[in-house]
C-alpha cells in the first residue's frame, strides 16, 4: 500500500475500452497526489473484438483477455473486485453489496451494455453472450448438458440478434462446435427483426454477409422477433413456434440495471445521459463512457470503436476536473472501418461503401486487434525513478514480512523473563497463544498478530488480519471473546486516514463478529506503511487445549489449507500473479480456521498449530521438538495453490523464505536434488498468510476427519504425513 495517502481519488467503475485507456496512461504517467482505483465484477477484461476469433479457435482465450490483476499491479493502480449496488452522489461514494463504500473525487462509469431482455438470464434455454468473460465456459457447459439429453437428432441452436456480434457468432460458432465435439450434428438459425444483416450495414455488405451465411447452411429468419423461449419452443411475434434446444442471445443493447439505480439521468434505453465532454448531465464529477453513455449533443451507435476513441478525451478531462480547468469535447467520427470475422481466417470488410470478404481482410483485422491488445498485455512494471527508496529491496508484507525465527529465538534466550504463577502456558513452552489464569478466574488465552498490508484493499486486509490472529485461538481450542486493534497509518489528509482506518477495522470486525468476538479497543499511530493486527483474548477453560507438544507416534498429520500464499503474494508485488491465481488465493485467505477447530474437538486430535510466517517446515518442527517426536512428510501429498508451482519454477519466493530455510538442518537429505527440484519442497519454507491448521490425528480417525472438513471447508484438506518416534542423531523431519 502507499507510503503516503493521496489527496485525490479517481475511480473507474468497469474496465471497458475507455477506462482501460486510462489504466494504460496511468501506468506511463501517474498523476501526482492522486490514486487510481479500478472497480470490476471480474478480475479479467475481455476484448469483444477478439471473441469471435476465439470462438472459432483462431485465438486462445488468454489472447482476448486483459489480466486486470497483473495490469493494475504493473501500473500502480488499486483493483477492487466486487459488485456495486448504488451511488451516493451527494457524498461522492460508490456503494457495494458486501464491503464499505468507496469515496471518489472523480468517477468514470464504463460497464457496457446488456441484451434488452432481462428474462434471458433466468431461462435455461437461453444463453446471453454477456458477460463475455464467462461466455465460452457457459456455452460449453450448456452444450455438454444438452448432448447428454439428446439422442439421435441434431442439436437445435439459434442466435437471436443480427447485429455485428450476432452475425460473427453465427459465422464462428460452428467452428467451435466441430472442434470441441467432433461429429456433433447441429442446426443453426440466425433470427433478427430487421430485414438486412448486420442491421445498419450498406446493401453491398448485407449481401455479402447473407450469401456467406446461406452458403454455410445457416437458416436466416429476418423481419421476425422472438417474444419468448419456453418448453423447448421459440415463439415469434406472429405466434409461430419452432423447436429449440439453446438460443444464444445477442439482441440490441440496453443499459445494465445498475445504471438506472445510480440516480443519474438516463435515456429511454437506460443509458446514462452525458454532455459532449462525457460528463453526466447531472453536472457532477462523474463521466460515462463507452456503451454506458448516450451523448445529448452527439449520439452514436453502441460500438467499441467509439469507446476506444473516447479514451484520450476521458484521460484529459479527468485531469482537467482535478485542476478545475474547462473540459474538452468528444465528437464521434462519421464513419468507421467495420471488420466481421467469419471464422475461416477471412473477414468481411466494410468502409464507405466498399465491401470485401477475403483473407487479407482477416489479416488486417488480426493486425488491428492484436496491436490493440498488446498495449494491455504488457505486464512489466514501469521502471521506478532513481531514488533511494526506489532502489531499496522490495520486502514482502503479510506474514511474509515477519522477522526470521532464528532471530526471535536468540533474542528470547537473552532475556530474563520472570515467572508468574498466573501463567499456565507462556514462553517456557511457547505455543500459538499464551494461557493466563487471573486470581479466582477462568483461564484466558491471549495472542497478538499484525502485519503490513499485502494488498491495496484495506477491507480485505482487515478481514485477513483478524482471521490470521483468530487462528492462534482456534489452534488451541480457545473461544474468542474480545479483540484490540493495532494499526499504523501512512501520512496523508485526515479524510484519507479516516477512510483507511474505517475499512481496516470494518474488515476485522466482520470476521470477529463471525467468530463470536467483539472489538473493545486498540491503538493507532502514523508510520511509513499501513499495518494492521489484533490482540485477542479467549476463554481457554472449557476444553482440553490442543498444544504443539501433544503429538504422538502413529498420528497422521492433516493440513487444512493449501500452501503457496507467500509465493503468490511475492509474485503480485512483481505483477506476475495471474488473475486466475489471485481468484483462487483470496477465498483461501478468507477461509476461517474455526470450522476445522470445531471439527477437531469431535475427534482424537493430539496436537495442533496454525501454519503462518515460519512456513510448514518451521511450524511442524516446532511441534516435533516440543513433542520429542519426528515425522515423515509426503511431499507429493502437499496441496499447493494454483500458480505456486509455476512461480517456483520461475524463481519467485517470499523475502522470508531464505530465513525459513534455516530449518533445513533438521530435515533429512534436505538438499538432495530430488527434493530441491520439487515445487512442494520450496513450499515447505513459504510463509503463509492466514494459513491452515496442522493437526495430529489418530490414524483410524483421520480419513473421517478429513471427510468432515472437506464438507465444511472450501479449501484443500490433505493427510500429508505421519508422526514417528524420534531417533538419536537423526533429523526430526524426513521427506518421502
Amino acid at each position: 500500500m502507499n507510503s503516503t495517502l493521496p489527496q485525490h481519488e479517481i475511480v473507474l467503475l468497469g474496465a471497458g475500452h475507455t477506462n482501460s485507456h486510462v489504466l494504460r496512461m496511468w501506468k506511463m504517467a501517474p498523476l501526482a497526489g492522486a490514486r487510481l482505483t479500478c472497480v470490476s465484477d471480474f478480475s479479467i477484461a475481455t476484448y469483444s473484438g477478439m471473441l469471435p476469433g476465439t470462438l472459432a479457435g483462431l485465438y486462445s482465450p488468454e489472447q482476448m483477455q486483459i489480466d486486470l490483476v497483473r495490469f493494475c499491479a504493473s501500473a500502480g493502480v488499486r483493483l477492487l473486485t466486487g459488485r456495486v449496488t448504488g451511488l451516493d452522489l451527494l457524498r461522492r461514494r460508490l456503494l457495494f453489496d458486501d464491503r464499505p463504500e468507496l469515496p471518489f473525487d472523480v468517477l468514470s462509469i464504463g460497464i457496457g451494455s446488456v441484451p434488452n431482455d432481462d428474462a434471458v438470464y433466468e431461462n435455461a434455454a437461453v444463453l446471453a453472450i454477456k458477460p463475455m468473460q464467462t461466455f465460452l465456459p457457459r456455452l460449453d457447459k450448456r452444450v455438454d448438458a444438452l448432448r447428454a439429453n439428446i439422442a439421435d437428432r441434431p442439436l437445435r441452436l439459434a442466435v437471436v440478434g443480427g447485429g455485428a456480434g450476432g452475425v460473427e457468432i453465427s459465422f464462428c460458432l460452428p467452428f467451435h462446435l466441430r472442434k470441441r465435439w467432433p461429429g456433433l450434428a447441429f442446426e443453426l438459425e440466425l433470427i433478427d427483426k430487421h430485414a438486412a444483416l448486420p442491421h445498419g450495414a450498406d446493401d453491398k455488405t448485407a449481401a455479402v454477409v447473407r450469401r456467406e451465411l446461406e452458403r454455410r447452411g445457416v437458416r436466416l429468419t429476418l423481419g421476425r422477433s422472438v417474444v419468448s423461449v419456453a418448453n423447448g419452443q421459440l415463439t415469434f411475434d406472429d405466434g409461430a413456434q419452432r423447436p429449440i434446444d439453446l438460443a444464444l442471445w445477442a439482441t440490441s443493447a440496453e443499459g445494465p440495471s445498475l445504471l438506472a439505480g445510480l440516480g443519474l439521468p438516463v435515456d429511454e434505453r437506460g443509458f446514462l445521459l452525458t454532455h459532449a465532454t462525457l460528463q453526466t448531465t447531472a453536472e457532477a464529477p462523474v463521466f460515462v463512457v463507452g456503451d454506458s453513455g448516450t451523448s445529448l449533443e452527439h449520439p452514436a451507435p453502441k460500438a467499441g470503436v467509439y469507446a476506444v476513441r473516447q479514451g484520450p478525451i476521458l484521460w484529459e478531462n479527468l485531469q482537467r476536473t482535478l485542476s478545475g480547468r474547462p473540459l474538452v469535447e468528444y465528437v464521434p467520427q462519421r464513419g468507421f472501418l467495420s471488420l466481421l470475422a467469419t471464422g475461416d481466417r477471412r473477414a468481411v470488410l466494410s468502409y464507405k461503401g466498399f465491401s470485401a470478404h477475403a483473407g487479407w481482410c482477416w489479416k488486417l483485422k488480426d493486425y488491428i486487434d492484436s496491436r490493440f491488445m498488446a498495449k494491455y498485455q504488457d505486464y512489466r512494471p514501469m521502471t521506478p525513478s532513481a531514488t533511494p527508496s526506489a532502489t531499496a529491496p522490495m520486502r514482502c508484507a503479510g506474514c511474509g514480512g515477519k522477522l526470521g525465527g532464528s532471530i526471535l529465538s536468540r533474542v528470547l534466550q537473552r532475556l530474563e523473563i520472570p515467572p508468574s504463577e498466573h501463567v499456565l502456558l507462556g514462553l517456557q513452552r511457547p505455543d500459538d497463544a499464551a494461557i493466563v489464569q487471573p486470581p479466582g478466574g477462568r483461564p484466558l488465552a491471549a495472542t497478538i498478530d499484525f502485519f503490513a498490508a499485502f494488498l491495496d484493499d484495506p477491507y480485505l486486509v482487515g478481514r485477513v488480519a483478524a482471521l490470521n490472529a483468530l487462528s492462534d485461538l482456534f489452534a488451541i481450542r480457545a473461544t474468542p471473546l474480545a479483540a484490540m486493534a493495532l494499526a499504523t497509518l501512512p501520512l496523508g489528509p485526515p479524510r484519507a486516514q479516516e477512510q483507511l482506518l474505517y475499512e481496516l477495522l470494518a474488515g476485522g470486525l466482520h470476521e470477529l463478529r463471525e467468530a463470536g468476538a467483539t472489538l473493545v479497543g486498540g491503538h493507532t499511530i502514523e508510520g511509513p506503511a499501513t499495518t494492521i493486527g489484533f490482540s485477542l483474548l479467549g476463554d481457554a477453560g472449557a476444553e482440553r487445549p490442543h498444544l504443539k507438544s501433544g503429538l504422538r507416534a502413529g498420528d497422521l498429520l492433516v493440513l487444512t489449507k493449501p500452501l503457496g500464499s507467500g509465493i503468490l503474494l511475492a509474485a503480485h508485488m512483481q505483477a506476475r500473479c495471474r488473475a486466475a491465481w489471485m481468484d483462487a488465493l483470496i477465498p483461501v485467505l478468507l477461509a476461517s480456521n474455526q470450522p476445522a477447530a470445531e471439527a477437531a474437538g469431535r475427534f482424537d486430535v493430539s496436537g495442533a498449530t496454525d501454519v503462518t510466517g515460519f512456513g510448514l517446515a518451521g511450524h511442524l518442527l516446532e511441534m516435533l521438538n516440543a513433542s520429542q517426536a519426528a515425522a515423515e512428510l509426503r511431499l507429493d501429498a502437499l496441496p499447493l495453490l494454483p500458480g505456486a508451482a509455476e512461480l517456483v519454477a520461475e524463481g519467485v519466493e517470499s523475502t522470508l523464505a531464505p530465513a525459513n530455510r534455516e530449518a533445513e538442518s533438521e530435515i533429512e537429505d534436505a538438499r538432495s536434488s530430488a527434493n530441491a527440484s520439487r515445487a512442494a519442497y520450496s513450499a515447505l519454507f513459504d510463509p503463509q498468510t492466514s494459513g491452515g491448521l496442522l493437526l495430529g490425528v489418530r490414524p483410524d480417525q483421520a480419513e473421517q476427519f478429513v471427510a468432515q472438513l472437506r464438507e465444511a471447508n472450501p479449501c484443500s484438506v490433505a493427510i500429508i504425513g505421519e508422526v514417528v518416534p524420534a531417533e538419536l542423531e537423526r533429523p526430526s523431519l524426513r521427506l518421502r
Side-chain angles (χ1 to χ4, degrees):
M1 298 184 71
N2 297 333
S3 58
T4 57
L5 297 178
Q7 295 286 337
H8 303 292
E9 297 280 3
I10 305 173
V11 175
L12 308 177
L13 175 54
H17 301 337
T18 315
N19 282 350
S20 291
H21 178 83
V22 173
L23 295 177
R24 189 169 71 89
M25 297 306 296
W26 188 275
K27 181 175 181 177
M28 293 188 288
L31 304 183
R35 171 167 58 186
L36 181 62
T37 300
C38 177
V39 178
S40 174
D41 288 345
F42 297 94
S43 59
I44 60 170
T46 301
Y47 176 43
S48 58
M50 295 178 79
L51 176 62
T54 304
L55 184 62
L58 302 178
Y59 300 117
S60 69
E62 292 74 21
Q63 286 177 279
M64 70 168 180
Q65 295 172 349
I66 301 172
D67 187 319
L68 292 177
V69 171
R70 296 189 66 191
F71 194 82
C72 288
S74 73
V77 174
R78 177 168 64 167
L79 174 66
L80 301 182
T81 53
R83 193 173 75 88
V84 172
T85 58
L87 172 67
D88 185 335
L89 194 58
L90 183 63
R91 297 172 56 242
R92 297 186 185 178
R93 298 285 193 274
L94 269 185
L95 310 179
F96 292 81
D97 64 345
D98 63 351
R99 60 177 298 123
E101 59 195 21
L102 178 66
F104 64 85
D105 294 300
V106 58
L107 170 68
S108 173
I109 301 172
I111 59 174
S113 59
V114 296
N116 61 1
D117 188 350
D118 290 339
V120 303
Y121 297 105
E122 301 175 359
N123 194 322
V126 175
L127 184 71
I129 305 301
K130 295 182 178 181
M132 292 185 185
Q133 290 92 335
T134 63
F135 172 64
L136 288 176
R138 286 187 290 116
L139 171 65
D140 290 350
K141 183 178 179 180
R142 291 283 188 94
V143 174
D144 274 329
L146 289 169
R147 288 176 65 243
N149 297 322
I150 293 175
D152 300 323
R153 66 168 176 81
L155 184 65
R156 296 180 293 234
L157 304 169
V159 176
V160 181
V167 167
E168 287 189 298
I169 294 295
S170 300
F171 276 129
C172 297
L173 178 61
F175 291 92
H176 179 74
L177 297 175
R178 295 184 186 114
K179 182 177 181 180
R180 183 79 164 75
W181 299 278
L184 174 67
F186 61 89
E187 299 171 352
L188 180 60
E189 180 177 8
L190 175 57
I191 304 167
D192 191 72
K193 62 183 179 181
H194 296 87
L197 295 172
H199 36 84
D202 60 74
D203 292 342
K204 291 182 180 178
T205 302
V208 170
V209 168
R210 180 166 189 151
R211 183 169 59 249
E212 184 64 17
L213 286 170
E214 290 176 338
R215 186 184 71 81
R216 298 188 187 190
V218 177
R219 180 176 181 173
L220 301 180
T221 301
L222 304 179
R224 307 271 294 280
S225 296
V226 175
V227 295
S228 70
V229 183
N231 302 318
Q233 297 287 330
L234 280 173
T235 301
F236 293 94
D237 49 4
D238 61 358
Q241 292 187 322
R242 184 164 299 145
I244 188 68
D245 294 311
L246 183 63
L248 278 65
W249 219 258
T251 57
S252 57
E254 66 179 19
S257 59
L258 172 62
L259 297 182
L262 296 180
L264 299 173
V266 297
D267 67 7
E268 67 280 358
R269 291 196 292 164
F271 296 109
L272 299 179
L273 290 172
T274 73
H275 294 302
T277 59
L278 307 179
Q279 187 178 19
T280 174
T281 57
E283 310 302 334
V286 176
F287 294 88
V288 189
V289 295
D291 285 359
S292 297
T294 297
S295 172
L296 285 178
E297 293 88 350
H298 305 292
K302 304 300 181 184
V305 64
Y306 295 112
V308 171
R309 296 288 181 88
Q310 288 176 353
I313 302 298
L314 175 63
W315 175 241
E316 177 67 23
N317 281 343
L318 290 175
Q319 298 174 75
R320 286 173 175 259
T321 299
L322 294 180
S323 61
R325 292 178 291 151
L327 304 181
V328 297
E329 294 189 354
Y330 165 71
V331 180
Q333 65 271 39
R334 291 182 176 273
F336 58 87
L337 174 68
S338 172
L339 289 160
L340 303 176
T342 55
D344 54 353
R345 295 192 181 277
R346 294 187 297 164
V348 176
L349 179 148
S350 175
Y351 185 65
K352 294 184 177 180
F354 173 75
S355 294
H357 181 214
W360 67 265
C361 301
W362 166 256
K363 290 181 180 179
L364 177 60
K365 176 175 173 57
D366 176 54
Y367 171 78
I368 293 172
D369 289 343
S370 298
R371 187 165 175 262
F372 174 79
M373 286 300 285
K375 300 175 182 178
Y376 300 98
Q377 292 177 332
D378 181 357
Y379 304 122
R380 295 171 297 179
M382 295 298 290
T383 304
S385 58
T387 63
S389 60
T391 57
M394 185 178 294
R395 307 296 295 179
C396 288
C399 286
K402 288 180 70 170
L403 201 61
S406 60
I407 297 175
L408 178 61
S409 178
R410 290 194 296 269
V411 168
L412 291 177
Q413 289 174 8
R414 295 172 60 185
L415 294 174
E416 295 184 7
I417 300 173
S420 171
E421 61 178 316
H422 302 296
V423 177
L424 305 183
L425 183 66
L427 290 174
Q428 290 77 20
R429 283 192 302 149
D431 216 287
D432 289 300
I435 298 180
V436 178
Q437 186 164 20
R442 288 168 62 86
L444 291 174
T447 187
I448 185 170
D449 212 313
F450 71 100
F451 48 53
F454 53 89
L455 290 175
D456 199 359
D457 182 346
Y459 180 69
L460 187 149
V461 168
R463 290 183 64 185
V464 175
L467 288 169
N468 202 68
L470 285 164
S471 287
D472 289 338
L473 297 185
F474 297 148
I476 67 167
R477 298 185 71 191
T479 302
L481 298 175
M484 302 188 78
L486 302 167
T488 305
L489 306 181
L491 298 173
R495 66 165 187 161
Q497 289 184 320
E498 177 184 340
Q499 182 66 22
L500 172 58
L501 182 59
Y502 169 71
E503 292 188 39
L504 289 169
L505 296 184
L509 189 57
H510 173 89
E511 299 300 338
L512 292 172
R513 187 182 298 112
E514 291 292 316
T518 190
L519 187 66
V520 297
H523 186 69
T524 59
I525 61 170
E526 291 184 328
T530 300
T531 65
I532 180 64
F534 295 89
S535 174
L536 290 162
L537 289 178
D539 182 357
E543 302 285 352
R544 177 181 62 84
H546 289 153
L547 304 180
K548 294 179 181 179
S549 57
L551 292 180
R552 305 162 301 202
D555 282 346
L556 295 183
L557 295 170
V558 176
L559 181 64
T560 66
K561 286 189 184 184
L563 303 173
S565 63
I567 296 165
L568 291 166
L569 292 175
H572 182 61
M573 296 178 69
Q574 305 170 42
R576 296 170 69 175
C577 182
R578 299 177 191 168
W581 299 345
M582 184 63 74
D583 289 346
L585 170 62
I586 296 301
V588 173
L589 296 178
L590 294 177
S592 172
N593 283 321
Q594 191 167 19
E598 291 174 350
R602 299 189 292 268
F603 289 84
D604 188 357
V605 171
S606 59
T609 191
D610 66 328
V611 179
T612 54
F614 299 145
L616 175 62
H619 289 288
L620 174 55
L621 286 167
E622 287 179 344
M623 296 183 75
L624 296 175
N625 293 333
S627 304
Q628 298 184 341
E632 292 184 351
L633 207 61
R634 300 195 296 269
L635 283 180
D636 291 341
L638 294 184
L640 299 182
L641 283 160
E646 292 92 328
L647 291 168
V648 167
E650 296 173 9
V652 177
E653 69 174 5
S654 168
T655 51
L656 185 57
N660 286 348
R661 275 201 194 86
E662 294 181 13
E664 284 182 322
S665 62
E666 298 184 64
I667 302 176
E668 188 171 82
D669 296 328
R671 297 181 181 276
S672 69
S673 58
N675 288 333
S677 62
R678 298 157 78 175
Y681 179 75
S682 294
L684 287 175
F685 312 104
D686 185 49
Q688 302 304 291
T689 297
S690 190
L693 296 183
L694 177 63
L695 308 106
V697 185
R698 205 172 76 185
D700 61 333
Q701 297 184 6
E703 291 291 347
Q704 184 182 0
F705 176 59
V706 168
Q708 285 198 16
L709 289 187
R710 286 174 178 163
E711 291 181 5
N713 195 329
C715 306
S716 301
V717 180
I719 297 173
I720 62 171
E722 180 181 3
V723 180
V724 299
E727 299 180 25
L728 290 176
E729 299 182 0
R730 189 174 179 186
S732 301
L733 186 56
R734 301 147 200 174
L735 307 178
R736 45 184 178 113

